[in-house]
C-alpha cells in the first residue's frame, strides 16, 4: 500500500455518477461537478457552482471533463489458489464429461492438490497478476474467498495470502472463509464428518486468528445440503461473523431462503432461484450477487430471475467470480458487459452492481460504494463522457486514474 500522506484537494471539471441510494439516475448524474477530498475521505460532492467557500484553499485538480464513479468493488472472487485448469478447459471443449475430467485428475481436486502444495508466498505471487488486472480497471475493494485448501493449514494459508495482498497493493480486501466448498478426498463418503471439522475446528480457529470477515458455503447437490450449511452458519452466528452463500446455481435446494433466515449479506449465483426465495431475500435485506462469468463459461441456459429480483426490490450486485475452474475472469468491466448482454441488466444496474450494491454484499456500504460526504475517497476516474459506456464497450479499459483512500 502507498505510504504517502493524503492531502486535501478538489477534483474539478468532472461528471459525477455518485451511485448514491435514491438520488436519481446513476445516483444523480452531475455534469460540471467537483469533489472535495480531505485526508482519506470525501468532504463534499456536487455541482462546481455550489462548491463551499471553505474548500477554495484546497489544491484544484482539473480532470478535463472525465467521468468519476466510486471505486469499483469485486464482491465475489476466488483469486488465491494454486495451479490452473487450462488442460481441463481443453478437455471439456473436446467433449470430455465431468467424470472423465475428474478421473484424469481435473476438477476441484486438482486445484486443491496444487493449493495445498503452495506456500503463502507462492499463493501471493500467483494471485498478484490477477489482482493487478482488477486494480487496473478501477477496482479498489475486493472480496477473496478461501475454499481450495479444505484443511486447516491450507485454508489458513489462503486467508493469510489474501491478507498479505492488501499490504502489497493499494486495495481494500475482505476475506471470506469458504471451508464448506467441497468434500476433500480424505473425507470421501463422509461429508458430515467434514462439515463437523469445518464448523467446530476450522472456523473457530481461523476466526480467533482474525482471518475471517465472513463465512460462505456451497449449497448444491454436488456440494452440501441445507442441513449441513446450517451447522456452519450456526457456528458463524455464535462467533458473530456474517454469512453468505453460493445458492441455486445448478438446482433449487432452498439455499437462498436458508441464507436469508440468517440475515445473510448475500446469496450468490441464483440461476434457479424461485420467487419464494426472492421474497425471503427481500425481507432479510440479502443482496443477490449475480455471476455472469460462470454462467458464460459453463454455457448455462437458465438466467437468474431478474424480473422477480426487481419486483421485490432485492439489491443486485455482480462480480467476476474469478476462479480457476468455472470463471477464469479478471475483468470487472467485461463482467458488467456480460451482465447487460446475458442477463439483460441495464448499464445503470450493472454499475450499481459493482459499486453500492457490491458494498452492501460485503457489509461495508456505510464507508464505500458511493460518492457521498464522509465516505472513504475511493474513486475511479474514466476517460468517457457517460457511465453507460462502461458496460457498453468490450475489451476496452478507459480508466484514467484511481483514488484510493484519498491518494490520487
Amino acid at each position: 500500500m502507498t505510504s504517502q500522506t493524503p492531502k486535501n484537494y478538489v477534483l474539478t471539471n468532472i461528471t459525477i455518477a455518485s451511485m448514491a441510494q435514491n438520488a436519481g439516475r446513476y445516483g444523480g448524474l452531475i455534469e460540471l461537478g467537483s469533489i472535495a477530498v480531505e485526508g482519506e475521505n470525501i468532504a463534499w460532492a456536487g455541482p462546481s457552482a455550489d462548491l463551499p467557500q471553505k474548500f477554495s484553499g484546497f489544491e484544484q485538480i482539473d480532470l478535463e471533463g472525465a467521468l468519476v464513479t466510486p471505486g469499483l468493488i469485486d464482491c465475489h472472487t476466488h483469486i488465491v489458489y494454486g495451479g490452473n485448469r487450462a488442460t481441463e478447459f481443453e478437455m471439456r471443449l473436446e467433449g470430455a464429461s465431468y467424470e472423465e475430467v475428474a478421473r484424469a485428475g481435473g476438477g476441484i481436486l486438482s486445484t486443491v492438490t496444487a493449493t495445498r502444495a503452495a506456500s503463502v508466498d507462492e499463493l501471493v505471487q500467483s494471485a498478484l497478476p490477477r489482482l493487478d488486472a482488477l486494480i487496473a480497471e478501477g477496482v479498489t475493494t475486493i472480496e477473496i474467498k478461501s475454499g481450495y485448501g479444505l484443511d486447516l493449514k491450507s485454508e489458513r494459508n489462503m486467508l493469510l495470502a489474501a491478507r498479505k495482498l492488501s499490504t502489497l497493493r493499494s486495495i481494500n480486501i475482505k476475506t471470506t472463509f469458504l471451508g464448506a466448498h467441497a468434500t476433500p478426498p480424505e473425507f470421501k463418503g463422509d461429508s458430515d464428518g467434514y462439515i463437523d471439522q469445518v464448523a467446530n475446528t476450522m472456523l473457530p480457529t481461523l476466526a480467533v486468528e482474525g482471518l475471517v470477515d465472513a463465512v460462505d458455503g456451497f449449497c448444491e447437490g454436488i456440494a452440501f445440503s441445507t442441513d449441513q450449511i446450517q451447522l456452519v452458519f450456526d457456528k458463524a452466528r455464535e462467533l458473530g461473523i456474517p454469512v453468505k452463500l453460493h445458492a441455486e446455481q445448478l438446482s433449487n435446494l432452498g439455499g437462498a431462503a436458508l441464507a436469508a433466515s440468517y440475515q445473510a449479506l448475500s446469496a450468490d449465483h441464483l440461476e434457479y432461484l424461485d420467487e419464494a426465495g426472492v421474497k425471503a431475500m427481500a425481507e432479510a435485506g440479502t443482496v443477490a450477487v449475480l455471476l455472469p462469468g460462470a454462467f458464460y463459461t459453463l454455457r448455462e441456459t437458465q438466467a437468474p430471475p431478474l424480473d422477480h429480483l426487481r419486483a421485490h426490490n432485492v439489491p443486485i450486485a455482480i462480480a467476476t467470480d474469478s476462479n480457476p475452474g468455472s470463471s477464469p475472469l479478471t475483468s470487472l468491466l467485461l463482467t458488467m458487459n456480460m451482465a447487460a448482454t446475458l442477463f439483460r441488466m441495464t448499464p445503470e444496474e450493472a454499475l450499481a452492481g459493482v459499486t453500492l450494491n457490491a458494498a452492501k454484499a460485503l457489509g461495508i456500504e456505510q464507508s464505500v460504494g458511493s460518492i457521498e460526504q464522509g465516505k472513504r475517497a475511493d474513486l475511479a476516474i474514466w476517460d468517457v463522457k457517460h457511465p453507460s459506456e462502461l458496460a457498453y464497450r468490450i475489451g476496452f479499459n478507459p480508466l484514467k486514474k484511481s483514488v484510493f483512500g484519498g491518494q490520487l
Side-chain angles (χ1 to χ4, degrees), residues 184-256:
E186 61 269 24
F187 280 89
K188 186 176 181 179
D190 185 20
S191 60
D192 284 342
Y194 177 62
I195 285 293
D196 178 69
Q197 285 282 306
V198 169
N200 296 313
T201 300
M202 295 164 69
L203 174 54
T205 302
L206 296 170
V208 167
E209 293 173 7
L211 294 174
V212 182
D213 295 324
V215 173
D216 199 348
F218 187 17
C219 185
E220 192 55 73
I222 62 172
F224 300 105
S225 69
T226 52
D227 287 345
Q228 291 171 323
I229 294 296
Q230 193 166 346
L231 294 173
V232 178
F233 281 7
D234 283 344
K235 179 58 69 170
R237 175 183 280 172
E238 180 184 318
L239 294 168
I241 302 172
V243 300
K244 50 181 55 192
L245 189 64
H246 290 59
E248 273 72 87
Q249 180 184 8
L250 306 172
S251 62
N252 185 358
L253 297 186

Side-chain angles (χ1 to χ4, degrees), residues 55-383:
F55 301 120
S56 61
F58 285 17
E59 179 182 351
Q60 308 288 302
I61 301 175
D62 187 339
L63 291 178
E64 302 173 335
L67 172 74
V68 181
T69 70
L72 304 189
I73 299 170
D74 196 352
C75 64
H76 181 132
T77 86
H78 308 251
I79 68 166
V80 170
Y81 56 84
N84 68 70
R85 307 253 280 275
T87 300
E88 172 186 334
F89 174 68
E90 188 172 22
M91 289 174 66
R92 286 205 313 265
L93 291 175
E94 291 173 349
S97 69
Y98 181 87
E99 289 77 16
E100 289 168 337
V101 169
R103 282 200 300 271
I108 191 173
L109 178 60
S110 67
T111 300
V112 171
T113 300
T115 301
R116 287 180 173 182
S119 67
V120 173
D121 284 343
E122 288 169 336
L123 291 171
V124 167
Q125 290 306 311
S126 67
L128 273 172
R130 297 186 279 270
L131 183 62
D132 286 342
L134 291 163
I135 292 172
E137 289 191 348
V139 173
T140 53
T141 296
I142 185 173
E143 184 247 27
I144 301 176
K145 303 178 191 293
S146 67
Y148 289 120
L150 307 184
D151 61 32
L152 179 58
K153 176 186 175 183
S154 303
E155 290 289 296
R156 177 190 285 119
N157 283 352
M158 292 185 72
L159 294 168
L160 286 170
R163 288 277 199 248
K164 187 170 182 179
L165 287 168
S166 68
T167 70
L168 300 175
R169 295 294 186 268
S170 295
I171 193 163
N172 179 36
I173 292 176
K174 305 296 286 185
T175 55
T176 296
F177 171 60
L178 180 57
H181 193 196
T183 301
E186 61 269 24
F187 280 89
K188 186 176 181 179
D190 185 20
S191 60
D192 284 342
Y194 177 62
I195 285 293
D196 178 69
Q197 285 282 306
V198 169
N200 296 313
T201 300
M202 295 164 69
L203 174 54
T205 302
L206 296 170
V208 167
E209 293 173 7
L211 294 174
V212 182
D213 295 324
V215 173
D216 199 348
F218 187 17
C219 185
E220 192 55 73
I222 62 172
F224 300 105
S225 69
T226 52
D227 287 345
Q228 291 171 323
I229 294 296
Q230 193 166 346
L231 294 173
V232 178
F233 281 7
D234 283 344
K235 179 58 69 170
R237 175 183 280 172
E238 180 184 318
L239 294 168
I241 302 172
V243 300
K244 50 181 55 192
L245 189 64
H246 290 59
E248 273 72 87
Q249 180 184 8
L250 306 172
S251 62
N252 185 358
L253 297 186
L258 171 69
S261 73
Y262 285 83
Q263 284 71 53
L265 292 172
S266 71
D268 303 33
H269 286 289
L270 306 178
E271 281 88 338
Y272 288 82
L273 179 65
D274 59 18
E275 191 168 11
V278 172
K279 289 179 178 177
M281 292 175 63
E283 291 170 6
T286 297
V287 176
V289 178
L290 308 186
L291 304 168
F295 180 91
Y296 167 85
T297 301
L298 298 176
R299 295 197 283 187
E300 294 291 345
T301 56
Q302 179 158 325
L306 200 62
D307 288 343
H308 286 326
L309 294 169
R310 287 167 172 157
H312 294 284
N313 297 312
V314 175
I316 302 169
I318 58 175
T320 62
D321 189 20
S322 183
N323 76 73
S326 63
S327 187
L329 173 64
T330 51
S331 170
L332 201 51
L333 291 175
L334 180 55
T335 302
M336 292 170 66
N337 178 270
M338 285 180 167
T341 304
L342 300 176
F343 296 161
R344 298 295 189 264
M345 291 177 67
T346 68
E348 182 180 4
E349 287 174 326
L351 185 55
V354 296
T355 54
L356 184 60
N357 289 342
K360 291 179 180 178
L362 298 179
I364 55 176
E365 70 274 17
Q366 297 304 314
S367 58
V368 295
S370 62
I371 299 173
E372 298 181 80
Q373 183 177 346
K375 288 197 174 184
R376 182 180 164 91
D378 288 354
L379 308 169
I381 301 167
W382 308 95
D383 190 15

